[in-house]
Amino acid sequence: MSIRDNAARKTAADEGNIDLTPMLDVVFIMLIFFIVTSSFVKEPGVELFKPQATTTEACVRGTIIFAVDDRGDIYYDKNRVSLDRAARLAEGAKKEAPQANIVVQVDRDTPAFAVEQLVDELRPLLTAPPCISTDDEV
């Protein structure tokens, strides 16, 4: 066996291997891009029994979510908040995501005046009518 035969065998063996390093670089760059450009939704964090509706419409860009429970307490990001604080939190969220719409989740037994007070407090920040979250009628 000569040196030339060994070199030919090595190049034939090397041709069967695929270098995955460039592909991994692209995957990590895409992952970083999606993490940086995504907007995270802050869940209200309270268990609600939503009212059912026969007609529903999807809320476009509804990412600022408030919940009002059956006692009229307001929740945002898993914390109970006051009416004034809800307005300040919504204002901060609107600065982070100006195109975001406000969604109000209500319980079946939520007092109407509590939802009305919340919507009135948030009205200066609204760029579209607020969305009321409901369940589909079965």
Side-chain angles (χ1 to χ4, degrees):
M1 254 201 211
S2 71
I3 296 175
R4 229 179 234 172
D5 291 338
N6 284 340
R9 284 185 188 160
K10 285 183 182 179
T11 58
D14 288 340
E15 287 177 10
N17 293 335
I18 299 173
D19 186 17
L20 296 178
T21 305
M23 185 181 73
L24 289 175
D25 289 344
V26 170
V27 168
F28 282 118
I29 288 171
M30 288 174 49
L31 178 67
I32 291 169
F33 172 77
F34 287 121
I35 289 172
V36 169
T37 60
S38 64
S39 64
F40 297 98
V41 177
K42 295 180 180 177
E43 294 291 328
V46 64
E47 185 67 32
L48 298 174
F49 298 104
K50 297 179 193 171
Q52 293 182 340
T54 54
T55 59
T56 59
E57 211 174 285
C59 185
V60 184
R61 295 182 306 265
T63 56
I64 304 172
I65 304 174
F66 288 94
V68 184
D69 67 4
D70 57 348
R71 294 183 310 266
D73 295 333
I74 302 167
Y75 291 86
Y76 179 78
D77 194 20
K78 299 179 181 140
N79 296 313
R80 184 173 174 255
V81 296
S82 66
L83 197 57
D84 318 347
R85 182 139 169 79
R88 290 193 304 272
L89 288 168
E91 186 176 0
K94 272 297 227 190
K95 285 181 182 174
E96 286 180 25
Q99 299 298 321
N101 287 334
I102 295 176
V103 177
V104 179
Q105 295 178 343
V106 296
D107 192 85
R108 291 180 191 151
D109 300 325
T110 297
F113 74 89
V115 178
E116 184 179 354
Q117 285 177 337
L118 177 61
V119 171
D120 285 345
E121 192 72 25
L122 301 177
R123 195 171 308 282
L125 302 171
L126 297 176
T127 54
C131 301
I132 304 294
S133 180
T134 60
D135 281 337
D136 291 334
E137 192 171 66
V138 183

